[in-house]
C-alpha cells in the first residue's frame, strides 16, 4: 500500500447519473446486480452485512472481474450486546414456529458481536474500493480518515439531522439520508427499545432538514421508485438517490423468487416496521410471522436475526411466503422487473424529464 494519500473523487464522478442501487444484505446485492448498475452510470453496491470478511472479499473480486466502473461496499457497525433474558423469552415465543417448520431455533453463529467489522475494514484499507458506506452507526474519525487516506469515498447512513451532523463532524464524505418509507432496516445509530421505530421522518421532510444542517452531499433513500420522485428529492436538496426495492425486482437481484413476486401480489397490501425477524425495526410486507411475533420481539439485533434464520430458510424451502422476511419499501407496488442497467436508464430519463418540466413550469408561472 502506498503511504501517499490518494485523492478522494467527488460523488458526481463516482455516480454519473445520481442513482445508487442500495446495498441489500441477505444475498440480494449480487455482483451481477452491482456491475449492471455501475456499467449503466449508476453506483452499484455490495452488501457485506452477515458475510465473513473473506466472503466480502470474494464478492469484491467477482465484481472487479465484471466491471471497471466505480462501486461501493456497505458495512454494518457493531451493535451493543442483547439482554439474554429477553432473548430467552423470544425463544419461547418462537417455539411454535420451530415445531411447525420442524427446524430448531438457531443460536448465534460464529460471526461474533461485530459482524466481522474490524476484519472487513482492515481489508478495505488494504485493498481499497471506490466507496464504503456504513449502516447502524457512525465510524470513528480515525476509521474514516484511514479510508480517505487510501482514496475511498465514505458515506454514513443517517435517519435524523443529529445523526447527519455527527457523521459530518466525524469526517464522512456524504450522508445517505434514509426516510421512514425505506425497505429493510432503519439505519438509526441507536435502536431505542422503548419505541417501535415508526416515529422516524418521511424522506422529503428529512432531506430538507438535513440539507439545512450539513454541508456534505446528501443521498436520499426511501420509497423512491420513479424518476419524478428522484427529481423531487433533488429539488429538496439531495445530490443523488438510493433505491433498494426498485432494484430488488430486477433479474440480476439475488432476492428469492417468492420475495420478488410478493412485491406486487395483492395478498400483501402494506408494509410495516417490525423487529420480528431481526430484533431491529425493519420494513417489510406484512405477513403472518410479522403479525404473530412482531409485538413480542425484543430489541436484540443481530441476535434475533440469527435465531430466526433457520425458520426463514425453512419457510422459503416449503414455499411459504408467510414465514419469510419480505423486506420492501412503501413504494413496492411500483416495482418493475426489468434488467438493472435498463432501470438505471429509465429512472434517469424520467428524472430528467420531470426536472425539465418543473423548470418549464417555473419559467412560465
Ligand atoms: C432487501 C433489503 C435489504 C437491505 N439491506 C441493507 C444493507 O445491507 N445495508 C444498508 O445500508 N441498507 C440496506 N437496506 C436499506 C437500503 O439501503 C435503503 O435504505 C432502502 O432500500 C431504501 O428504501 P426503498 O427500498 O424503498 O428504496 C436494505 C433494503 C432492502 C429492501
Amino acid at each position: 500500500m502506498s503511504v501517499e494519500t490518494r485523492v478522494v473523487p467527488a460523488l458526481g464522478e463516482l455516480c454519473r447519473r445520481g442513482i445508487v442501487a442500495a446495498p441489500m444484505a441477505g444475498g440480494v446485492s449480487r455482483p451481477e446486480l452491482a456491475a449492471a448498475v455501475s456499467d449503466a452510470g449508476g453506483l452499484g453496491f455490495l452488501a457485506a452485512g452477515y458475510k465473513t470478511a473473506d466472503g466480502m472479499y470474494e464478492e469484491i473480486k467477482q465484481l472487479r472481474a465484471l466491471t471497471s466502473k466505480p462501486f461501493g461496499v456497505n458495512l454494518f457497525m457493531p451493535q451493543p450486546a442483547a439482554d439474554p433474558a429477553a432473548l430467552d423469552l423470544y425463544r419461547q415465543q418462537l417455539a411454535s414456529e420451530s415445531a411447525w417448520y420442524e427446524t430448531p431455533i438457531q443460536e448465534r453463529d460464529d460471526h461474533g458481536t461485530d459482524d466481522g467489522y474490524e476484519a472487513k475494514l482492515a481489508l478495505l484499507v488494504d485493498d481499497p474500493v471506490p466507496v464504503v458506506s456504513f449502516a447502524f452507526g457512525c465510524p470513528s474519525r480515525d476509521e474514516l480518515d484511514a479510508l480517505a487516506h487510501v482514496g475511498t469515498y465514505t458515506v454514513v447512513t443517517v435517519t435524523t439531522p443529529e445523526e447527519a451532523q455527527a457523521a459530518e463532524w466525524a469526517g464522512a464524505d456524504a450522508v445517505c439520508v434514509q426516510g421512514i418509507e425505506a425497505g429493510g432496516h432503519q439505519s438509526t445509530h441507536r435502536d431505542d427499545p422503548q419505541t417501535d421505530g415508526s416515529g422516524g421522518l418521511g424522506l422529503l421532510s428529512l432531506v430538507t432538514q438535513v440539507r439545512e444542517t450539513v454541508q456534505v452531499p446528501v443521498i436520499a433513500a426511501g420509497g423512491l421508485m420513479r424518476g419524478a420522485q428522484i427529481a423531487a428529492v433533488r429539488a429538496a436538496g439531495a445530490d443523488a438517490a438510493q433505491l433498494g426495492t426498485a432494484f430488488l425486482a430486477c433479474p440480476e437481484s439475488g432476492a428469492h423468487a417468492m420475495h420478488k413476486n410478493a412485491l406486487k401480489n395483492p395478498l400483501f397490501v402494506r408494509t410495516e416496521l417490525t423487529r420480528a425477524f431481526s430484533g431491529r425495526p425493519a420494513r417489510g410486507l406484512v405477513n403472518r410471522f410479522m403479525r404473530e411475533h412482531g409485538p413480542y420481539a425484543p430489541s436484540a439485533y443481530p441476535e434475533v436475526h440469527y435465531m430466526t434464520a433457520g425458520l426463514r430458510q425453512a419457510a422459503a424451502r416449503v414455499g411459504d411466503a408467510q414465514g419469510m422476511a419480505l423486506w420492501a419499501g412503501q413504494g413496492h407496488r411500483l416495482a418493475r422487473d426489468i434488467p438493472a442497467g435498463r432501470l438505471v436508464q429509465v429512472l434517469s430519463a424520467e428524472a430528467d424529464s420531470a426536472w425539465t418540466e418543473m423548470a418549464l413550469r417555473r419559467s412560465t408561472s
Side-chain angles (χ1 to χ4, degrees):
M1 190 182 67
S2 158
V3 287
E4 207 175 284
T5 303
R6 295 191 211 162
V7 177
V8 177
L11 182 60
E13 293 170 55
L14 296 161
C15 182
R16 195 163 43 81
R17 292 188 191 262
I19 294 170
V20 180
M24 290 184 276
V28 180
S29 291
R30 297 163 63 219
E32 291 80 355
L33 177 63
V37 170
S38 290
D39 280 343
L43 183 68
F45 253 95
L46 293 175
Y50 313 131
K51 290 195 157 55
T52 60
D54 286 346
M56 173 192 80
Y57 196 42
E58 204 41 55
E59 283 205 335
I60 292 174
K61 286 190 275 187
Q62 287 173 26
L63 180 51
R64 282 177 176 152
L66 293 172
T67 184
S68 57
K69 296 288 190 309
F71 63 89
V73 175
N74 175 256
L75 301 185
F76 289 170
M77 294 299 296
Q79 300 300 299
D83 171 10
L87 284 173
D88 274 347
L89 272 178
Y90 198 53
R91 200 171 287 115
Q92 290 167 32
Q93 165 75 22
L94 295 179
S96 57
E97 298 288 337
S98 173
W100 177 252
Y101 291 116
E102 298 177 343
T103 302
I105 293 165
Q106 270 173 230
E107 296 306 316
R108 267 205 91 95
D109 63 12
D110 57 1
H111 281 222
T113 52
D114 71 346
D115 198 53
Y117 176 73
E118 283 183 20
K120 288 173 187 171
L121 201 59
L123 230 153
L124 293 169
V125 170
D126 226 38
D127 190 354
V129 297
V131 180
V132 173
S133 75
F134 298 88
F136 307 143
C138 184
S140 68
R141 172 169 285 282
D142 284 351
E143 289 167 339
L144 291 170
D145 279 353
L147 289 167
H149 186 77
V150 295
T152 296
Y153 191 91
T154 54
V155 181
V156 174
T157 312
V158 301
T159 58
T160 63
E162 292 74 23
E163 289 173 357
Q165 182 73 87
E168 184 175 59
W169 280 338
D173 291 309
V175 286
C176 174
V177 173
Q178 189 196 38
I180 199 72
E181 306 91 331
H185 285 97
Q186 280 288 299
S187 196
T188 41
H189 289 192
R190 191 185 143 267
D191 179 31
D192 180 355
Q194 307 306 322
T195 76
D196 63 2
S198 62
L201 290 177
L203 184 61
L204 213 48
S205 180
L206 185 57
V207 165
T208 311
Q209 293 182 36
V210 170
R211 186 65 294 162
E212 293 189 11
T213 307
V214 298
Q215 306 297 315
V216 291
V218 163
I219 302 169
L224 304 176
M225 306 295 288
R226 296 284 187 264
Q229 293 173 291
I230 296 175
V233 290
R234 272 173 64 193
D239 299 86
Q242 177 165 307
L243 291 75
T245 305
F247 286 99
L248 191 66
C250 293
E252 297 93 335
S253 131
H256 194 286
M258 283 196 295
H259 189 172
K260 291 185 184 184
N261 290 337
L263 294 174
K264 293 175 81 169
N265 184 338
L267 207 59
F268 300 101
V269 285
R270 60 193 183 88
T271 64
E272 252 177 34
L273 289 171
T274 184
R275 294 181 198 275
F277 296 106
S278 72
R280 221 180 197 278
R283 185 173 298 283
L285 299 167
V286 177
N287 64 2
R288 181 193 60 75
F289 195 103
M290 258 169 84
R291 278 194 299 269
E292 288 182 7
H293 306 298
Y296 309 100
S299 166
Y301 178 87
E303 284 81 356
V304 171
H305 165 86
Y306 290 113
M307 273 169 80
T308 65
L311 301 174
R312 289 180 276 125
Q313 282 157 13
R317 264 198 309 278
V318 298
D320 180 9
Q322 298 294 341
M324 295 166 65
L326 304 170
W327 303 135
Q330 288 181 341
H332 62 94
R333 286 183 187 184
L334 297 171
R336 301 178 268 208
D337 61 349
I338 56 176
R342 178 83 192 118
L343 182 58
V344 172
Q345 289 165 355
V346 170
L347 288 166
S348 176
E350 287 174 351
D352 287 349
S353 82
W355 191 253
T356 311
E357 201 180 314
M358 281 195 282
L360 268 175
R361 277 197 217 146
R362 266 203 309 273
S363 67
T364 53
S365 63

